[in-house]
Amino acid sequence: QLQLQESGPGLVRPSATLTLTCSVSGASVNSDSDYWSWIRQPPGKGLEWIGYIYYSQTTNYHPSLNSRVTISIDKSKNQFFLELTSVTAADTAIYFCAREMAGFDHWGQGILVTVSS
Amino acid sequence: DIQMTQSPSTLSASVGDKVTITCRASQNIDAWMAWYQQKPGKAPKLLMYKASSLENGVPSRFSGSGSGTEFTLTISNLQPDDFATYHCQQYDSYPWTFGQGTKVESK
């Protein structure tokens, strides 16, 4: 059974770098059939797709975040990562990792990241 | 970016009702539409993909239709477990975008 689990700090200082890990079990991030994505949801608001990484290391990011975001992958640990630089209060959100096939069919439980001094 | 507009934002209904949620895309997305259900404090759950394909394990009272720019999610015979927020999402053109959500609440 595929499971995803986000981990990382719950509080990040303004202008710092947010780094999150998604640990995958029950499937391989080295699969050529899956895309591994990050999605976020500000409290009480809608969902925003951040970007994905494919097993080949190909990435695709939301244009509004493109200059600040990096998604990477560690096949040996079956994990993928989100790095978001120069964070502001507007980056406060629940961050989800998810697998995409046709739609996002498996999600982590989400992690709330608050940007505050 | 493709804008996704859901209506209504909130819907009040009773158990046993038939409920319809609409999602409009700002440009043609063919049938590249997904629907999700989200409960408070939980991750979204995929209900439908490719506009009308039911995800494995999702009850058959959920159905989806539409193509191009107008889509609907219908819940027939609303059950207590169905009170939640529903999101549409297009996956025709990057960046993938979501609607703002429709909250289905108890009347």
Side-chain angles (χ1 to χ4, degrees), chain A residues 6 20-22 37-39 49-51 71 80-82 96-97:
Chain A
E6 304 89 350
L20 296 175
T21 299
C22 183
S37 293
W38 288 97
I39 297 154
W49 174 77
I50 297 170
I71 298 175
F80 63 105
F81 310 94
L82 171 70
F96 298 99
C97 58

Side-chain angles (χ1 to χ4, degrees), chain B residues 13-81:
Chain B
S14 301
V15 172
D17 284 353
K18 180 179 178 180
V19 165
T20 300
I21 300 167
T22 298
C23 188
R24 288 185 174 87
S26 61
Q27 63 190 68
N28 180 21
I29 60 168
D30 293 323
W32 305 114
M33 168 69 85
W35 290 95
Y36 302 86
Q37 177 194 68
Q38 186 178 27
K39 296 183 178 179
K42 300 293 187 182
K45 172 188 174 184
L46 179 65
L47 300 175
M48 313 287 306
Y49 61 94
K50 208 169 181 185
S52 60
S53 296
L54 194 68
E55 175 69 355
N56 287 341
V58 174
S60 58
R61 62 181 180 272
F62 290 90
S63 63
S65 65
S67 66
T69 61
E70 188 152 339
F71 301 83
T72 58
L73 174 72
T74 300
I75 313 170
S76 59
N77 189 21
L78 191 73
Q79 295 298 298
D81 190 50

